[in-house]
């Protein structure tokens, strides 16, 4: 299979790139990956997407996918497991055994929530363990809940949770919160909130159906304590999905793709869009914007060639 451009990723960045590239008459293939629709599939109302006062995340993404297909974008349900960007046409190896070739590639693989990696996290995911307070807070009305993390996004999630839960314990590995947003003061002032500083969550325990407690390790004296919990929200940041590009594209110390001149990666003809190259804004609208830019840059590159 050979295309003018292959887009990796079906979040706002990839699908917007798909709309622009196919409307620009490029023979375009978009490979959806493990999360068709991207991060917004795991949220409820989106209220900062211009043109929609409020729209559910999944509805927005289904609309975007339909629009890309209407514009002529081919979409494949598969994940890219390996790439060869050392020679053109570029080769992408898929988890279904197929190979796809492209004159140009747009990388829009976004970012994923960082995991704790402790026992119980995987077993109790969606059985009390969550990464999205916006989505799941109502399930924890009048319950005892723990949130792990101390940055701005953790504090935003924590503030949201305080409107629902009976008690919220913030577990933070450092001796002070790292978030700069004033929202952390609101969290700290809430009588429902207790902060355990210099503490690491070591294990999530349950009764096989749901979370019942967690094990905390004090980082100063290494003592362990068990506290009851009905829910655990993991808010320790996002990691860009760049592992398959290691050794092929320049990646910064934090794992983000390095771009110059807006969307160009370190290899000619390979462009990047969205959260995969954006540690700063990480919004649907900015991802869509860079998806548009990458498609236009890609078109200019192919025309010149
Ligand atoms: C709970 C939650 C709520 C949010 N709410 C808002 C909001 O209200 N407003 C807002 O502006 N932003 C919001 N955001 C942020 C927003 O969702 C992201 O900034 C945006 O989705 C990033 O878009 P993206 O296209 O760069 O990547 P993503 O949405 O992360 O999509 C990445 C895509 O890449 C694909 N992919 C990954 N690896 C591979 C691979 N190996 N092969 C093929 N495909 C691959 C995935 O399947 C996915 O389709 C929210 C995020 C979360 C998690």
């Amino acid at each position: 299979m050979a295309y003018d451009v292959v887009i990796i990723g079906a979040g706002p960045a990839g699908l917007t790139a798909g709309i622009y590239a196919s409307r620009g008459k490029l023979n375009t293939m978009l490979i959806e990956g493990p999360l068709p629709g991207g991060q917004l599939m795991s949220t409820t109302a989106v209220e900062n997407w211009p043109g929609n006062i409020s729209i559910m995340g999944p509805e927005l993404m289904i609309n975007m996918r339909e629009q890309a297909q209407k514009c002529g974008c081919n979409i494949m349900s598969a994940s890219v497991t390996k790439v060869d960007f050392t020679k053109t046409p570029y080769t992408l190896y898929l988890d279904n055994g197929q190979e796809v070739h492209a004159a140009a590639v747009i990388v829009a693989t976004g970012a994923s929530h960082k995991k704790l990696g402790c026992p119980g996290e995987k077993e109790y995911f969606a059985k009390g363990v969550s990464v999205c307070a916006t989505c799941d807070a109502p399930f924890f009305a009048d319950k005892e809940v723990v949130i792990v993390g101390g940055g701005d996004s953790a504090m935003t999630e924590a503030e949201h949770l305080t409107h629902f839960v009976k008690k919220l314990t913030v577990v933070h590995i450092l001796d002070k919160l790292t978030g700069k947003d004033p929202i952390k003061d609101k969290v700290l002032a809430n009588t429902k909130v207790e902060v355990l500083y210099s503490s690491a969550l070591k294990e999530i325990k349950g009764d096989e159906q749901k979370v019942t407690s967690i094990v905390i390790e004090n980082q100063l004296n290494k003592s362990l304590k068990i506290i009851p919990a009905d829910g655990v929200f993991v808010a320790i940041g996002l990691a860009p999905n760049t592992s398959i590009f290691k050794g092929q594209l320049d990646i910064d110390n934090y794992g983000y793709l390095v771009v110059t001149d807006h969307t160009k990666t370190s290899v000619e003809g390979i462009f990047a869009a969205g959260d995969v190259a954006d540690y700063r804004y990480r919004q649907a609208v900015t991802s869509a914007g860079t998806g548009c830019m990458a498609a236009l840059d890609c078109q200019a590159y192919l025309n010149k060639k």
Side-chain angles (χ1 to χ4, degrees), residues 7-15 31-49 61 78-81 108-113 131-135 157 238 241 244-245 273-276 281-288 290:
I7 298 162
I8 315 175
L15 288 168
I31 298 164
E32 289 189 300
L35 186 58
Q39 293 170 58
L40 285 185
M41 297 305 280
S42 65
T43 193
T44 49
V46 176
E47 299 186 340
N48 52 14
W49 181 259
M61 297 318 299
S79 288
V80 178
T81 54
T109 48
S112 303
H113 287 273
V131 292
C132 176
T134 319
C135 319
E157 299 263 293
L238 287 168
N241 299 318
I244 55 170
F245 307 111
D275 282 9
V276 73
Y281 302 105
R282 298 193 302 208
Q283 292 296 297
V285 70
T286 50
S287 297
T290 52

Side-chain angles (χ1 to χ4, degrees), residues 9-208:
L15 288 168
T16 305
I19 291 166
Y20 274 79
S22 41
R23 284 193 88 232
K25 300 280 179 234
L26 296 179
N27 182 15
T28 306
M29 169 59 80
L30 184 149
I31 298 164
E32 289 189 300
L35 186 58
Q39 293 170 58
L40 285 185
M41 297 305 280
S42 65
T43 193
T44 49
V46 176
E47 299 186 340
N48 52 14
W49 181 259
N52 282 104
I53 290 165
S54 180
I55 184 166
M56 299 305 271
E59 186 189 350
L60 176 63
M61 297 318 299
I62 288 164
N63 290 348
M64 248 187 244
R65 189 182 193 276
E66 201 180 310
Q67 189 176 1
Q69 280 183 313
K70 281 229 166 87
C71 293
C73 181
N74 301 290
I75 297 183
M76 193 194 287
S77 298
S79 288
V80 178
T81 54
K82 203 172 99 177
V83 295
D84 183 356
F85 293 159
T86 57
K87 55 184 183 304
T88 52
Y90 300 120
T91 305
L92 285 73
Y93 301 87
L94 308 184
D95 60 353
N96 61 13
Q98 291 181 324
E99 280 178 26
V100 180
H101 303 279
V105 174
I106 296 173
V107 178
T109 48
S112 303
H113 287 273
K114 283 189 190 162
K115 310 251 178 344
L116 294 164
C118 70
E121 183 185 34
K122 203 168 156 196
E123 294 85 327
Y124 288 103
F125 196 84
K127 292 178 182 172
V129 178
S130 171
V131 292
C132 176
T134 319
C135 319
D136 296 336
F139 299 127
F140 296 92
D142 295 322
K143 306 268 189 204
E144 294 189 26
V145 168
V146 170
I147 184 162
V148 187
D152 279 332
S153 55
M155 288 303 103
T156 306
E157 299 263 293
E159 198 280 327
H160 186 68
L161 284 166
T162 58
H163 297 284
F164 297 85
V165 304
K166 181 167 75 184
K167 181 175 182 202
L168 180 65
T169 305
V170 179
V171 176
H172 187 44
I173 199 146
L174 301 176
D175 59 0
K176 56 177 178 296
L177 301 175
T178 49
K180 292 180 182 62
D181 195 303
I183 201 160
K184 82 173 174 201
D185 301 326
K186 207 171 161 190
V187 173
L188 292 174
N190 194 306
T191 52
K192 289 180 185 174
V193 176
E194 180 186 3
V195 186
L196 300 180
Y197 292 103
S198 304
S199 298
L201 195 158
K202 294 309 260 189
E203 186 178 350
I204 298 167
K205 290 173 176 282
D207 59 9
E208 293 191 355

Side-chain angles (χ1 to χ4, degrees), residues 193-254:
V193 176
E194 180 186 3
V195 186
L196 300 180
Y197 292 103
S198 304
S199 298
L201 195 158
K202 294 309 260 189
E203 186 178 350
I204 298 167
K205 290 173 176 282
D207 59 9
E208 293 191 355
Q209 304 300 316
K210 57 182 180 357
V211 170
T212 54
S213 63
I214 57 162
V215 181
I216 302 285
E217 183 187 67
N218 182 306
Q219 296 303 280
L220 305 176
N221 58 22
K222 297 291 168 194
S223 64
L224 296 177
K225 85 170 170 185
I226 297 182
I227 62 169
D230 302 297
V232 178
F233 285 78
V234 181
I236 54 172
L238 287 168
N241 299 318
T242 50
S243 57
I244 55 170
F245 307 111
K246 274 189 189 137
Q248 299 274 333
L249 299 175
D250 283 357
I251 293 172
D252 72 15
N253 292 339
Y254 301 97

